[in-house]
């Protein structure tokens, strides 16, 4: 004999729905991806110097600090939310460098709110570093694995931050260099690898950054 039960009525003590769950998951996922990309960038700088007598200490890519701070800003917009993975990320990358190369005074510091403190640089230097980092990010991966990779997940917030600085300066040379980023990166990667970028999204991001 089948037994039927009445549905359990909604209780006022049911767990509340988190209306920001999707945003929190996105922050977590992007923080995870940022760690993977930065860690790989550091490791592959070491790998390509395997036969070098005096290898140089790997540098942090510009998209690490700017990408991290962009995620912290998204986190701060959600009241009283702290993403555990995001907030341990600075120490994870620092430990990776510390383990292989010892301490460094150049590692960026955190402010009282947990954001990286950026060292002020001329905007032209930032554009040049972004260009160099993107080229090395792709070509080093190709040299180490034989595969092309996508551009970094934090590329847009990095470009947006630099674009905002360009809009408040009168550095026409830096602006021209920024708008040449697409061609310069693609041409150099093609020359070094013989391959085209799998998805060259730089020009689309430039248009978004400058509302074109």
């Amino acid at each position: 004999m089948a037994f039927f039960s009445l549905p359990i009525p909604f209780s006022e003590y049911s767990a509340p729905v988190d209306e920001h769950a999707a945003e929190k998951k996105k922050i977590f996922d992007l923080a995870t991806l940022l760690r993977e990309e930065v860690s790989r960038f550091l490791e592959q700088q070491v790998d390509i110097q395997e036969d070098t007598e005096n290898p140089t200490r790997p540098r942090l890519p510009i998209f690490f600090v700017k990408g991290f701070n962009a995620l912290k800003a998204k986190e701060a917009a959600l009241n009283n939310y702290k993403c555990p993975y995001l907030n341990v990320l600075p120490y994870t990358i620092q430990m990776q460098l510390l383990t292989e190369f010892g301490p460094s005074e150049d590692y960026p510091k955190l402010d009282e709110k947990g954001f990286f403190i950026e060292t002020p640089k001329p905007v032209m230097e930032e554009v040049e570093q972004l260009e160099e980092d993107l080229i090395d990010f792709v070509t080093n991966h190709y040299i180490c694995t034989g595969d092309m990779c996508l551009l970094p997940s934090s590329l847009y917030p990095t470009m947006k931050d630099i674009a905002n600085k360009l809009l408040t300066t009168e550095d026409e040379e830096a602006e021209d260099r920024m708008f040449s980023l697409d061609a310069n990166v693609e041409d150099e990667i093609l020359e070094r690898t013989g391959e085209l970028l799998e998805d060259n999204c730089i020009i689309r991001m430039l248009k978004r950054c400058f509302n074109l």
Side-chain angles (χ1 to χ4, degrees):
M1 179 182 294
F3 291 89
F4 297 91
S5 60
L6 293 173
I8 299 174
F10 177 80
S11 169
E12 61 178 314
Y13 300 107
S14 298
V17 175
D18 186 350
E19 60 182 8
H20 299 298
E23 296 166 80
K24 292 176 181 178
K25 183 179 185 303
K26 186 174 182 180
I27 292 171
F28 180 90
D29 290 345
L30 288 174
T32 303
L33 195 53
L34 180 60
R35 186 204 65 78
E36 292 172 354
E37 291 172 342
V38 173
S39 179
R40 187 181 77 208
F41 184 77
L42 297 174
E43 289 173 359
Q44 290 177 344
Q45 286 180 75
V46 175
D47 291 344
I48 64 171
Q49 298 183 84
E50 188 175 8
D51 298 324
T52 304
E53 186 174 344
N54 296 306
T56 59
R57 185 185 183 93
R59 73 180 187 278
L60 287 168
I62 193 171
F63 58 79
F64 173 47
V65 168
K66 292 187 184 296
F68 176 83
N69 282 350
L71 290 176
K72 283 294 293 182
K74 290 181 180 294
E75 178 194 65
L78 303 176
N79 292 335
N80 300 319
Y81 173 64
K82 294 293 182 184
C83 175
Y85 199 96
L86 177 64
N87 287 283
V88 79
L89 179 55
Y91 307 102
T92 303
I93 298 299
Q94 185 179 32
M95 184 58 66
Q96 180 179 351
L97 287 169
L98 184 65
T99 301
E100 293 196 39
F101 293 93
S104 170
E105 295 181 0
D106 295 335
Y107 195 80
K109 304 290 192 298
L110 297 172
D111 66 16
E112 67 279 359
K113 294 183 179 179
F115 286 76
F116 274 128
I117 301 171
E118 290 196 61
T119 303
K121 292 181 181 178
V123 67
M124 183 60 154
E125 284 188 22
E126 293 202 343
V127 176
E128 290 173 339
Q129 186 185 349
L130 176 59
E131 182 178 305
E132 182 180 7
D133 287 346
L134 293 179
I135 292 168
D136 286 350
F137 182 81
V138 176
T139 56
N140 288 352
H141 186 268
Y142 183 83
I143 291 168
C144 293
T145 68
D147 296 322
M148 296 294 284
C149 65
L150 295 174
L151 292 170
S153 58
S154 55
L155 177 57
Y156 176 71
T158 301
M159 291 176 64
K160 182 64 176 176
D161 184 78
I162 296 174
N164 288 340
K165 292 180 181 178
L166 283 169
L167 292 172
T168 59
T169 65
E170 297 182 357
D171 192 333
E172 293 184 3
E173 186 179 358
E175 187 172 329
D176 289 343
R177 184 68 174 266
M178 186 72 166
F179 278 100
S180 300
L181 188 67
D182 172 66
N184 291 347
V185 169
E186 186 160 58
D187 289 350
E188 187 65 25
I189 289 173
L190 179 61
E191 182 175 336
R192 293 192 193 182
T193 67
E195 301 281 350
L196 291 171
L197 279 169
E198 188 171 335
D199 178 21
N200 187 353
C201 55
I202 296 175
I203 191 66
R204 297 197 303 272
M205 291 186 179
L206 278 170
K207 290 179 178 179
R208 286 176 61 195
C209 288
F210 291 95
N211 297 317
L212 299 177

